[in-house]
């Protein structure tokens, strides 16, 4: 089945990102000069005793903005000088706010303030022609490791028989296998290209150290290929050596393919979550916000910028971010108050809110976090640290979301959530006028598997089917564990004929998988499925019931196949 494309922002190349960052730095220098001229005029009025409370507050916020953003644009000395001046005004601003003095009140005179402002001019230097690589490590391309993208397995082993067994065995799970040699002249290129997609290395113990070393040398932006080691025998010392060499998994002969496939899926899933995320940035400095966006998107993070906070709740609902990055001091708004406002909605109680601010007083940071946020990142923040911080926090947020929304055994959507997806897809079908199907998939004679081989072996069978579904279906398809050994699959933009062909193909592949019990005896399992056209029903629950009836018909007809529900005449 062909995937369905999603229209969105086209990814920029590394050169495009660098050029955009250089342009932003140049733009910032021009803006900084204008803001220093403004501050100079305010300082003169202050020395004459003519500065109003409102003008004092505005000057304070300009200094706050310079202190937080100058370092990001390559002017750390300007940022530090602005921070010193900001702190000198802070007590006066806080006193004016506490006493409620009118805007036309004369602010206190700071004799050294004028000289401090004049010193800022010399700190705005001409920008270099390019952005230093040490400050901005951008990566071209974005991983797409979700189901619907075939996982690539790089196989490197000294034995031709083992290589053949791996290729044939893993292909049954829907993996794409590519044999490579440690002595191949293009090995580095293969690793570098594979690091941009969902890939895992499976190597023999004799090749482990060489492959792991090559993968480390080709590590770009954290995209190091995971390596699984295959050894001739199992022992603690052998496992310790493999872990020390850099392996992320260990298997010995005879190979347990269901366990190997499950380990591959786990590594791919973890890597995807570590290298992606959705971040909502609430920042009133448009140049700084655009800088953050460019840096994060070039590292595989989806970003939405919010400059008008009146639309904040709508943007949250539409974008569904993993985390929120928000400045504490926004034009006319308080980030602390906005964080409290977000928590009004129960659905956002667990959403991580991270303050970005030039505030460096630990007590002030603690007070700010106590009002609804989770962490505090101090400006200026280097691009590399920003990317690593965001990816780490997105990964943790997604892990927690997985625990709440995903089945712990299979990683698929839980019963209630997959039912919601059925209703959502039916609504989309009606609104956009296309056809979709829902399928109920069930393992045949599964009780016998548990009774004969034990529940641990039964769990491996369930995980094997879940992994096969994830590898053979599209990213746009929805998969959920409905209960026990029963699964639900939603197939958007797919008629019953196409759906039947796809599910039958998955059934054939699954029947070819071999599972091993404790005594090394092998067995296989088949599946049955029922399919219903979503468009034929007015309610998602009724469509699920129809698919279940078709599944029951398939079971009654002898199992191991697919039946399609037909609407009664």
């Amino acid at each position: 089945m062909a995937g369905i494309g999603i229209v969105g922002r086209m990814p920029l190349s590394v050169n495009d990102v660098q050029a955009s960052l250089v342009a932003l730095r140049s733009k910032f220098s021009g803006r900084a000069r204008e803001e220093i001229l403004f501050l100079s005029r305010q300082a003169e009025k202050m020395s004459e005793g003519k500065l109003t409370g409102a003008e004092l507050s505005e000057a304070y916020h300009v200094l706050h903005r310079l202190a937080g953003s100058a370092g990001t644009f390559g002017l750390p000395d300007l940022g530090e000088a602005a921070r010193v001046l900001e702190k000198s005004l802070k007590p006066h601003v806080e006193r004016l706010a506490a006493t409620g003095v009118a805007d036309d009140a004369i602010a206190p005179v700071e004799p050294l303030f004028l000289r401090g402002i004049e010193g800022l001019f010399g700190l705005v230097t001409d920008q270099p022609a390019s952005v230093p690589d040490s400050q901005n490590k951008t990566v071209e391309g974005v991983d797409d490791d979700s189901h619907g993208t075939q996982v690539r397995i790089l196989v490197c082993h000294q034995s031709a028989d083992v290589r053949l067994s791996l290729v044939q065995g893993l292909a049954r799970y829907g993996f794409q296998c590519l044999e490579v040699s440690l002595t191949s002249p293009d090995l580095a290129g293969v690793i570098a290209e594979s690091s941009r997609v969902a890939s895992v290395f499976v190597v023999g113990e004799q090749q482990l150290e060489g492959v792991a070393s090559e993968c480390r040398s080709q590590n770009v932006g954290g995209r190091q290929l995971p390596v699984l080691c295959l050894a001739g025998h199992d022992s603690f010392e052998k496992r310790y050596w493999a872990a020390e060499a850099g392996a992320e998994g260990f298997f010995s002969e005879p190979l347990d393919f269901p366990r190997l496939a499950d380990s591959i899926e786990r590594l791919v899933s973890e890597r995807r979550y570590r290298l992606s995320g959705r971040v909502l940035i609430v920042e009133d400095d448009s140049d700084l916000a655009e800088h953050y966006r460019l840096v994060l998107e070039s590292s595989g993070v989806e970003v939405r910028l919010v400059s008008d906070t009146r639309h904040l709740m709508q943007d949250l609902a539409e974008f569904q971010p993993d985390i929120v990055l928000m400045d504490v001091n926004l034009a006319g708004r308080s980030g602390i108050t906005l964080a409290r406002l977000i928590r009004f909605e129960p659905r956002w109680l667990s959403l991580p809110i991270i303050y970005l601010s030039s505030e460096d007083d630990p007590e002030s940071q603690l007070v700010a976090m106590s009002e609804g946020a989770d962490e505090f990142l101090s400006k200026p923040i280097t691009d590399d640290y920003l990317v690593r911080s965001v990816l780490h926090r997105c990964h943790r947020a997604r892990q927690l979301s997985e625990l709440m929304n995903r089945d712990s055994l299979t990683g698929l959507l839980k019963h209630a959530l997959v039912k919601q997806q059925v209703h959502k897809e039916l609504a989309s079908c009606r609104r956009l006028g296309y056809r979709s199907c829902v399928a109920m998939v069930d393992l045949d004679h599964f009780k016998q598997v548990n009774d004969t081989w034990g529940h641990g072996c039964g769990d491996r069978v369930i995980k094997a089917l879940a992994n096969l579904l994830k590898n053979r279906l599209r990213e746009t398809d929805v998969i959920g564990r409905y209960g026990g050994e029963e699964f639900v699959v939603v197939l958007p933009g797919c008629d019953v004929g196409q759906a039947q062909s796809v599910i039958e193909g998955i059934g054939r592949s699954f029947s070819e998988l071999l599972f091993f019990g404790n005594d090394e005896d092998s067995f296989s399992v088949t599946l049955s499925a029922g399919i219903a056209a979503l468009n034929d029903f007015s309610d998602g629950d009724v469509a699920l019931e129809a698919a279940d009836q078709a599944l029951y018909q398939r079971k009654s007809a002898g199992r191991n196949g697919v039946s399609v529900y037909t609407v009664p005449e």
Side-chain angles (χ1 to χ4, degrees), residues 37 57 81 121 153 159 222 228 230 261 328 407 444 521 564:
L37 282 172
S57 295
F121 284 103
I153 309 298
S159 168
L228 296 175
L230 306 184
V328 173
D407 171 62
D444 295 330
D521 289 338
V564 175

Side-chain angles (χ1 to χ4, degrees), residues 178-191:
L178 176 66
E179 295 186 39
V180 297
S181 170
L182 193 57
T183 59
S184 173
D186 63 341
L187 178 62
V190 171
I191 292 175

Side-chain angles (χ1 to χ4, degrees), residues 201 203 207-216 224-229 238-250 267:
F201 238 121
V203 305
Q207 291 76 37
L208 174 59
E209 291 179 324
V211 167
S213 175
E214 191 65 42
C215 286
R216 284 192 294 271
Q224 180 173 321
L225 287 185
V227 181
L228 296 175
C229 175
K238 183 73 72 173
R239 285 173 174 261
Y240 186 88
W241 166 80
E244 188 175 44
E248 296 190 46
F250 181 91
L267 288 172

Side-chain angles (χ1 to χ4, degrees), residues 396-415:
R396 292 295 299 150
R398 290 190 170 194
Q399 281 183 320
L400 293 174
S401 177
E402 292 289 294
L403 289 174
M404 293 186 294
N405 300 325
R406 300 272 175 174
D407 171 62
S408 60
L409 178 64
T410 64
L412 301 178
L413 290 176
K414 291 181 178 179
H415 177 101

Side-chain angles (χ1 to χ4, degrees), residues 23-24 43 101 232 244 284 291 295 327 382 409 453 481 526 533 565 568:
L24 279 174
V101 177
E244 188 175 44
D284 60 346
H291 181 96
V295 169
D327 197 349
T382 66
L409 178 64
W453 309 103
R481 186 180 181 192
T526 60
Y565 178 83

Side-chain angles (χ1 to χ4, degrees), residues 306-364:
V306 177
S307 56
D308 188 344
T309 55
R310 292 174 299 176
H311 306 307
L312 175 59
M313 301 309 295
Q314 179 181 340
D315 285 318
L316 280 172
E318 291 177 355
F319 190 60
Q320 299 285 319
D322 295 314
I323 64 172
V324 172
L325 294 181
M326 183 158 58
D327 197 349
V328 173
N329 296 290
L330 300 157
R333 307 282 187 188
S334 162
I336 296 173
T337 302
L338 288 172
R340 193 184 307 128
L341 183 151
I342 290 172
R343 302 299 192 204
F344 287 172
E345 297 285 343
R347 64 187 295 194
W348 303 124
L349 288 175
S350 61
L351 175 68
I353 300 175
I354 300 162
Y355 288 138
L356 274 173
S357 177
S358 59
E359 177 62 67
D360 59 358
D361 177 53
E363 181 63 28
S364 297

Side-chain angles (χ1 to χ4, degrees), residues 43-64:
E44 289 178 0
K45 293 178 69 174
M46 177 184 286
S47 65
E48 297 169 359
K50 298 179 180 179
L51 193 69
T52 67
E55 290 170 333
L56 176 68
S57 295
E58 188 175 2
Y60 173 78
H61 286 295
V62 169
L63 285 168
H64 178 82

